[in-house]
Amino acid sequence: MQKLLTPLYLAQMEVLRNKVRFFLISLLIALITLLVLFIAALAEGLGGGNREYISKLDADLLVYKADSDLLIAASRLPRSVMNQVRRVPGVRAVGPIAVSNAAIDTPLETPDADPLRVALLGVEAGLPGAPPIISGSPFSTNRAPEAVVERRVIQRLGIKVGDRISIRTDQGSGDETFEVLVVGLSDGQQYGLAPVVFLPLLTWDRVRSKTGPNSPLNLNLIAVQLEDPNDLAAMKALIPAQVKDVEMAGIREAYEALPGYKEQQSTLDTQRFFTLIIGVLVIGGFFQIQALQKVPQVGMLKAIGAANWMVAVAAIAQIILVTVIGVLLGGAATLLLASTLPPGIPIVFTGQAAVAAIVSLLFIGPIGGAISIRYAARIEPLKALGMSS
Amino acid sequence: MNEGFALSTESLVKSYELDGQKFNAVNSISLAVTAGEFVGLVGPSGSGKTTLLAMLSALLTPTTGKVIIDGTNLSDMSDKQRVEFRRKRVGFTFQANNLIPYLTALENVELMLRLNGELTAAVRTRSRDLLARLGLAARLHNLPSQMSGGQQQRVAIARALIHNPAVVLADEPTASLDTERAHQVVETFAQLIHEHKRAGVIVTHDLRMITYTDRVIQMRDGDVARIYTSRAEIRELAASGPG
Ligand SMILES: Nc1ncnc2c1ncn2[C@@H]1O[C@H](COP(=O)(O)OP(=O)(O)O)[C@@H](O)[C@H]1O
Ligand SMILES: [Mg+2]
């Protein structure tokens, strides 16, 4: 037992008697951890801001206009298509989604603030596409001057359910404002990095930006719920076969096709990857320099009878210790920093992304130190006598 | 012939190849050391002393011949057994880098016991006593960097003896010490070898140090040039100077 613990004893004593040196390397790992976690949170925040509404849709499939390349802005569907899709066997429910954007005038108390930019979405209460409501109620009718707003709209404007908001849109001849009553509140619904104001479809048609006088109501998407979500692949083929001039996408496919979404995520993934690589190199470099300095003492240890595995275990234990301390420090620093960030910054820590980042960080030590461990295990005990074979 | 000896060799040879030419760094050496005997190994640089020591400690495999310690032929051992043999049956001091820099004097000595899984409260006091015996009672908790070269060598001597090895091998233990310290170190070393009844072999190029040995083997070009056994002969050789 004592023999088995000897390498751990050596690893621990070396760290304890060289606290500053090992603390500095832990600090480096902590900084790398901070960076990786923030990049992950930024990827989550930006990705979420883009995809949130689409990814949370209570639907299995989305219908686009044919050849729209899954670009929502380019997809224009007459309302009648909705009925055609609903009649396809296997479809349980359909709902319209119409997309535009607008500005909301800030209340008079804060006259110098810029108007709040929002995504303006037309949906029908009770149909796929309508958001879940966490307080208040859904629209009373399809043409009522009412809105369901995202939590951020409430926060930023300092309003509450029951207040009125002024929506400002471009009507070709100039901006016009429309007053609507906030009847409901929804949470975690952003689209195109903007919080969403949901309007009843016909209200939306009245309010939306219009470039010319003659611009008929078109939907951008139709959200489809299936009788059996397992039929996804078959239904994806069946709907365009029965309804003319449409193409289909699953939810994931849809948000990955959002403009810039994939590019943004892969840029952030690349940053995260390179940060991890830099971590591996920094730690690898540190332990390799240390291994080089330790050649005489490791040779001596082996000469007096320490087995190779003891030397290797001591090295691994040390690397793991330093890495774990570094990651813990970095995690704590991240928590601290995150709690001081202003709410507008698109940084979102989700358990899953953070765990994935931390797990990958825990590997950078052992991977970086692998060469030095191998090197230490190969040092010849003859070195202690100033010889080599 | 080998009975009763703690350490013996039979026609021990180590050959190397140099520029395509084979030569024997150690050339058919047979020697025997009894428990409690302190043998000096001297000779000019390149005469094969370190090579011989490396074979005696199972760090180097002989080209031909045998090393027998405690009745066991080292050539019959597996690599793993040789590591264990060094840990259990050999005590070492080296010319330099004897100690683990981040362990104190006491911890360095105790490390030998840890490696063998033998560190108990009883042997803990034995480590302290041995270090005290070597004049290091006040240095138990000093790191190597806080000790002189002579003190470090004495810690190494304690480590070489603490686990009751069969043989104790010392490679140039006085190389970095001044004369007075060198005498102190080797004298205590000799006393302990005798008291603890170990077979001791000390390699030194400083002939003055051999006054403390019981027998001197003088090497030249891999061969035994001469063996000095009587006190008078040894004293005369020692007086011939630092070497
Ligand atoms: N690995 C090796 N390869 C080739 N020659 C070696 C090797 N090790 C030692 N020698 C040679 O063997 C001879 C004896 O060396 P060594 O035992 O170190 O002598 P000493 O310790 O007496 O100075 C020297 O000529 C040395 O150059
Ligand atoms: Mg030598």
Side-chain angles (χ1 to χ4, degrees):
Chain A
M1 190 61 193
Q2 192 171 61
K3 246 193 281 192
L4 293 178
L5 292 178
T6 301
L8 301 185
Y9 164 80
L10 287 172
Q12 174 207 334
M13 292 312 280
E14 182 168 23
V15 173
L16 285 179
R17 300 254 159 89
N18 295 283
K19 287 197 198 76
V20 174
R21 191 195 331 156
F22 284 97
F23 180 70
L24 284 178
I25 186 73
S26 280
L27 211 60
L28 261 175
I29 296 174
L31 290 175
I32 288 162
T33 304
L34 188 75
L35 210 57
V36 168
L37 286 176
F38 264 96
I39 293 171
L42 195 63
E44 195 61 38
L46 288 174
N50 244 329
R51 122 197 117 203
E52 214 162 38
Y53 169 68
I54 300 283
S55 66
K56 288 181 181 171
L57 273 178
D58 185 20
D60 303 303
L61 283 170
L62 290 172
V63 179
Y64 293 70
K65 179 181 163 49
D67 302 322
S68 63
D69 284 335
L70 305 189
L71 284 172
I72 293 174
S75 166
R76 294 182 178 279
L77 299 160
R79 250 179 118 190
S80 57
V81 176
M82 232 168 88
N83 291 324
Q84 297 171 35
V85 174
R86 185 175 22 232
R87 281 195 295 269
V88 175
V91 170
R92 182 165 57 189
V94 297
I97 300 172
V99 179
S100 175
N101 37 48
I104 298 182
D105 286 345
T106 41
L108 291 175
E109 301 90 81
T110 53
D112 48 331
D114 290 334
L116 178 64
R117 300 213 358 87
V118 298
L120 200 62
L121 264 58
V123 298
E124 275 185 46
L127 295 186
I133 287 167
I134 58 168
S135 84
S137 56
F139 318 124
S140 53
T141 70
N142 212 7
R143 56 176 73 250
E146 295 170 348
V148 168
V149 302
E150 213 263 352
R151 190 177 42 84
R152 268 164 263 244
V153 176
I154 296 256
Q155 277 176 347
R156 303 264 270 274
L157 296 178
I159 57 167
K160 56 187 187 303
V161 173
D163 286 353
R164 295 184 167 275
I165 53 174
S166 298
I167 302 173
R168 178 190 295 274
T169 53
D170 180 6
Q171 297 300 315
S173 50
D175 280 6
E176 271 181 48
T177 57
F178 298 84
E179 254 200 14
V180 294
L181 177 70
V182 176
V183 294
L185 175 64
S186 186
D187 192 17
Q189 301 282 332
Q190 293 181 87
Y191 178 79
L193 286 174
V196 178
V197 169
F198 295 94
L199 298 177
L201 187 64
L202 298 179
T203 310
W204 176 86
D205 186 39
R206 205 149 37 82
V207 173
R208 72 187 161 103
S209 305
K210 295 174 197 80
T211 40
N214 191 10
S215 108
L217 169 59
N218 271 316
L219 309 178
N220 293 93
L221 297 171
I222 297 166
V224 179
Q225 270 175 13
L226 300 176
E227 297 283 1
D228 181 0
N230 296 323
D231 278 349
L232 202 91
M235 291 302 290
K236 217 172 141 182
L238 184 64
I239 294 172
Q242 302 211 353
V243 179
K244 252 183 30 199
D245 218 18
V246 297
E247 66 184 6
M248 313 290 301
I251 296 298
R252 191 194 169 102
E253 219 179 325
Y255 67 68
E256 284 184 346
L258 289 168
Y261 177 81
K262 267 190 161 158
E263 291 79 356
Q264 183 185 67
Q265 292 298 306
S266 76
T267 302
L268 289 162
D269 282 347
T270 310
Q271 282 177 22
R272 183 157 31 161
F273 175 75
F274 277 105
T275 312
L276 283 172
I277 292 286
I278 289 167
V280 167
L281 292 178
V282 166
I283 297 176
F286 171 82
F287 282 106
Q288 187 58 26
I289 290 169
Q290 181 166 277
L292 289 171
Q293 288 171 339
K294 277 164 57 171
V295 169
Q297 76 174 260
V298 171
M300 185 278 290
L301 259 179
K302 290 188 182 181
I304 66 172
N308 276 344
W309 69 263
M310 287 191 180
V311 172
V313 169
I316 294 166
Q318 212 168 61
I319 289 168
I320 290 176
L321 183 69
V322 167
T323 310
V324 168
I325 291 175
V327 171
L328 285 179
L329 279 177
T334 309
L335 278 182
L336 214 72
L337 256 173
S339 67
T340 64
L341 281 179
I345 295 178
I347 279 191
V348 176
F349 291 93
T350 62
Q352 205 187 353
V355 167
I358 283 178
V359 167
S360 58
L361 282 159
L362 287 175
F363 278 99
I364 65 175
I367 292 173
I371 294 171
S372 68
I373 294 166
R374 200 176 131 89
Y375 182 84
R378 286 184 154 197
I379 293 170
E380 289 187 5
L382 269 174
K383 277 252 157 53
L385 291 171
M387 296 178 74
S388 62
S389 61
Chain B
M1 155 182 184
N2 294 313
E3 250 98 285
F5 294 111
L7 160 69
S8 63
T9 70
E10 276 175 35
S11 317
L12 203 55
V13 175
K14 184 69 193 181
S15 323
Y16 287 117
E17 207 149 313
L18 200 66
D19 302 329
Q21 195 88 15
K22 224 169 138 182
F23 81 101
N24 292 346
V26 167
N27 188 23
S28 192
I29 289 198
S30 301
L31 56 84
V33 186
T34 55
E37 190 184 19
F38 195 30
V39 172
L41 207 54
V42 298
S45 179
S47 57
K49 307 180 297 288
T50 302
T51 306
L52 178 57
L53 202 69
M55 288 190 286
L56 295 183
S57 57
L59 282 173
L60 192 64
T61 315
T63 309
T64 60
K66 289 185 193 170
V67 176
I68 295 163
I69 292 176
D70 267 358
T72 315
N73 184 349
L74 301 193
S75 317
D76 295 341
M77 291 181 178
S78 66
D79 284 349
K80 212 178 146 191
Q81 284 171 322
R82 274 192 272 265
V83 174
E84 191 185 334
F85 166 81
R86 283 203 303 277
R87 187 163 66 223
K88 291 208 161 108
R89 307 305 293 148
V90 182
F92 266 117
T93 79
F94 306 100
Q95 194 169 331
N97 303 307
N98 265 301
L99 306 179
I100 298 290
Y102 51 82
L103 296 181
T104 64
L106 187 60
E107 288 162 350
N108 263 289
V109 174
E110 287 176 349
L111 177 61
M112 203 63 232
L113 298 165
R114 273 182 199 278
L115 286 172
N116 281 309
E118 288 169 357
L119 185 61
T120 61
V123 289
R124 267 204 150 107
T125 46
R126 220 173 70 209
S127 307
R128 285 164 187 273
D129 293 348
L130 189 54
L131 282 166
R133 177 69 205 286
L134 285 153
L136 295 169
R139 299 281 170 193
L140 297 181
H141 305 296
N142 283 32
L143 293 172
S145 58
Q146 301 162 331
M147 289 185 281
S148 69
Q151 288 168 337
Q152 292 182 33
Q153 277 295 346
R154 282 183 273 158
V155 175
I157 289 170
R159 187 196 56 206
L161 289 162
I162 194 67
H163 56 306
N164 297 326
V167 299
V168 178
L169 307 173
D171 187 28
E172 306 271 15
T174 63
S176 58
L177 307 185
D178 61 47
T179 313
E180 196 186 334
R181 290 231 167 80
H183 277 283
Q184 280 172 10
V185 164
V186 181
E187 184 173 16
T188 322
F189 201 173
Q191 282 169 8
L192 289 168
I193 292 288
H194 294 143
E195 273 172 38
H196 291 222
K197 292 259 176 293
R198 310 289 164 221
V201 177
I202 177 173
V203 169
T204 180
H205 66 273
D206 185 350
L207 289 176
R208 291 171 306 183
M209 294 305 128
I210 60 166
T211 17
Y212 306 104
T213 65
D214 307 309
R215 190 149 51 101
V216 177
I217 296 169
Q218 191 171 44
M219 293 184 67
R220 185 174 300 129
D221 297 335
D223 293 307
V224 173
R226 189 173 160 191
I227 298 180
Y228 302 77
T229 45
S230 79
R231 284 250 55 88
E233 279 178 327
I234 292 173
R235 233 174 262 136
E236 195 184 321
L237 181 62
S240 71

